[in-house]
Amino acid sequence: MRSPSMTNLREAVRDEISHAFAVTGHARPRDIARLVCATYPDDVQTVGSRLAEDALTDVARRELKKATQDQDVVTQLKLPGLREHFATSLPTAISIPQEGADAGDEEGVIYKPLSQATLAEVEVHLALLATQIAADTRRHRAIKELRDLARAAGATAASCVMAFLSRTAVSETEVA
């Protein structure tokens, strides 16, 4: 859903550009931005708050992912018969997509300490990992094929692969 505040600001920018062209024959982006900010402070505040929230959400997501991979925090699993090397391979927390969330929608994912996860939540996390692994495997195969095509076409280690291949007629040959 589009933000009404952002829609208003985008329209105000367009109007100011048209006005600047009509009056002076040119426009400066910074001048346009300053004028719109001065004229629409409430919309700017709303959009600014949303941008800050989005940035902090990204920070929180990175920190949560980092926490789930932190191998130094293994104190949660001190179970009899559980080998230490096994415990150190387990994440401290797992990501669980919420029911009804779209696939790939990071907004619909919660992070939960493994020590508090139910078996059903572990199952959902495993399904999410399987999906991610399948996507990573497809990307891995595609990038390997791209590398092999570049090698077969004569690319060197310093070649920019995409630019090299776009300049080179690539025939499909199998490279071992």
Side-chain angles (χ1 to χ4, degrees), residues 143-160:
I143 291 172
K144 276 180 57 177
E145 186 171 333
L146 179 71
R147 179 206 57 199
D148 293 346
L149 284 170
R151 281 183 176 168
T156 66
S159 299
C160 184

Side-chain angles (χ1 to χ4, degrees), residues 48-167:
S49 296
R50 179 58 194 237
L51 290 174
E53 181 184 319
D54 289 349
L56 289 171
T57 299
D58 288 342
V59 168
R61 188 175 293 116
R62 281 192 307 274
E63 290 300 317
L64 282 164
K65 286 181 179 180
K66 183 178 160 188
T68 64
Q69 297 168 354
D70 188 356
Q71 301 304 319
D72 296 331
V73 187
V74 188
T75 57
Q76 68 177 358
L77 293 171
K78 298 291 183 192
L79 301 174
L82 189 63
R83 294 187 200 124
E84 187 174 332
H85 81 286
F86 175 74
T88 59
S89 297
L90 292 170
T92 57
I94 59 173
S95 51
I96 306 164
Q98 296 303 282
E99 196 171 312
D102 292 334
D105 177 17
E106 290 195 12
E107 296 290 325
V109 174
I110 65 166
Y111 294 82
K112 188 170 190 176
L114 184 57
S115 61
Q116 298 173 17
T118 65
L119 182 58
E121 291 167 334
V122 169
E123 292 285 351
V124 171
H125 178 69
L126 286 171
L128 177 65
L129 286 177
T131 300
Q132 291 170 343
I133 289 167
D136 286 345
T137 300
R138 282 190 306 274
R139 283 189 292 272
H140 181 263
R141 285 184 185 137
I143 291 172
K144 276 180 57 177
E145 186 171 333
L146 179 71
R147 179 206 57 199
D148 293 346
L149 284 170
R151 281 183 176 168
T156 66
S159 299
C160 184
V161 174
M162 298 303 281
F164 182 85
L165 289 175
S166 68
R167 290 188 310 263

